[in-house]
Amino acid sequence: MGKLTRRARAKADYFGFIGAREWPLAASGLGVLLGVVTILPSAVGVVLSVVALGLGVATFTRDVRLLRRRWAGFEFTTIAAPFPTAELPPPSAYPEAAYLAVPARGTALVSAAIDRALQEERHTVDVAEEPYRLPPSLKATAPHVLPLRARGRLLFNGPVVGMRGDPLPAAGARPAPIRLHRARFFDAVCSNELGTLRITRTETGEEYDLRTAELTDSAGALRELSSSELADHVGVSTVAFTTDGKLVTVRQSPLNA
């Protein structure tokens, strides 16, 4: 039952995420269903119900065709080139910032000054009341990205925390609160994780590269977190030791993302 429950939850998260954006299609399908259910035994009722059912089927068919055309309008290719550190300098507000290439993982932006401030200063957080919402440009590709990223694995749309501000060292007596926002895991999959993909519109050939479209500010440098339109979710790893000196680990299924 455990495997069935996990698969059912993953499917429910996926269809819930997609359904919130494609509700007109679901409404058309419901109209077709109601047309079938409400067929009455009387001749007039049958005629009216058949007409309503026909209109519902026509509308539903049109919506399905439009949806398939829209979903088939993008092509995804993996970006093999490394992160363009030479063309995209770090934000000027980040002290002692430098890029660090991590073999087989990617490129990290590090700052020794920010690291020291996080260790030595007392920071507070401020969680924004408004949760994160995907911008329109990323909403359009969301239905494609989820199955592409899943590839048979189980993805759950659980709550996550994202950065809406930058953990900069204190300019005065104490550092300003670090701004955070509430998001969902699928928001991160459909925004930050697109950094490894180039998206092409099949009809026009127009290319969308998240690294240049979403990570670059007006001055041509890397955006600060405070101006980012991505989920910018925070990843946390925990190392737990028991009182008798044992290291606690978790065994994960190969279907986990």
Side-chain angles (χ1 to χ4, degrees), residues 5 14 23 26 28 52 54 72-73 82 97 139 153 159 176 190 202 212 221 233 239 244 246:
T5 301
Y14 172 72
W23 63 266
S28 298
K139 277 185 179 181
R153 297 176 297 181
C190 297
T202 53
T212 55
H233 58 298
V239 179
D244 56 349
K246 303 293 184 181

Side-chain angles (χ1 to χ4, degrees), residues 214-234:
E214 302 292 345
L215 300 185
T216 307
D217 64 13
S218 58
L222 188 69
R223 282 182 184 268
E224 297 180 21
L225 292 170
S226 57
S227 62
S228 171
E229 292 193 1
L230 307 181
D232 297 323
H233 58 298
V234 178

Side-chain angles (χ1 to χ4, degrees), residues 7-162:
R7 287 185 178 275
R9 180 187 162 196
K11 289 294 184 182
D13 283 349
Y14 172 72
F15 287 118
F17 183 79
I18 299 301
R21 290 152 179 78
E22 305 294 348
W23 63 266
L25 180 63
S28 298
L30 180 60
V32 173
L33 180 62
L34 291 178
V36 175
V37 172
T38 56
I39 292 179
L40 302 177
S42 66
V44 176
V46 170
V47 171
L48 293 177
S49 296
V50 168
V51 171
L53 179 60
L55 292 175
V57 169
T59 304
F60 182 66
T61 303
R62 183 205 62 180
D63 289 344
V64 169
R65 288 178 177 175
L66 292 175
L67 179 65
R68 292 183 62 183
R69 186 184 307 169
R70 192 165 73 250
W71 281 28
F74 299 94
E75 180 181 344
F76 297 83
T77 54
T78 302
I79 299 176
F83 189 81
T85 56
E87 295 83 7
L88 206 58
S92 58
Y94 288 13
E96 303 177 31
Y99 286 112
L100 177 65
V102 182
R105 291 304 298 265
T107 303
L109 177 62
V110 298
S111 167
I114 292 179
D115 289 344
R116 288 194 300 269
L118 290 174
Q119 292 177 345
E120 299 170 359
E121 299 174 354
R122 181 178 178 84
H123 290 264
T124 58
V125 298
D126 179 20
V127 181
E129 294 184 3
E130 182 68 20
Y132 173 78
R133 294 285 185 268
L134 282 171
S137 58
L138 299 180
K139 277 185 179 181
T141 60
H144 313 265
V145 175
L146 285 180
L148 184 68
R149 284 301 189 192
R151 294 180 180 175
R153 297 176 297 181
L154 301 180
L155 300 181
F156 302 107
N157 197 22
V160 298
V161 174

Side-chain angles (χ1 to χ4, degrees), residues 159-182:
V160 298
V161 174
M163 301 288 292
R164 192 172 284 189
D166 304 83
L168 299 176
R174 56 181 303 178
I178 300 175
R179 292 277 290 167
L180 304 176
H181 59 218
R182 291 166 290 137

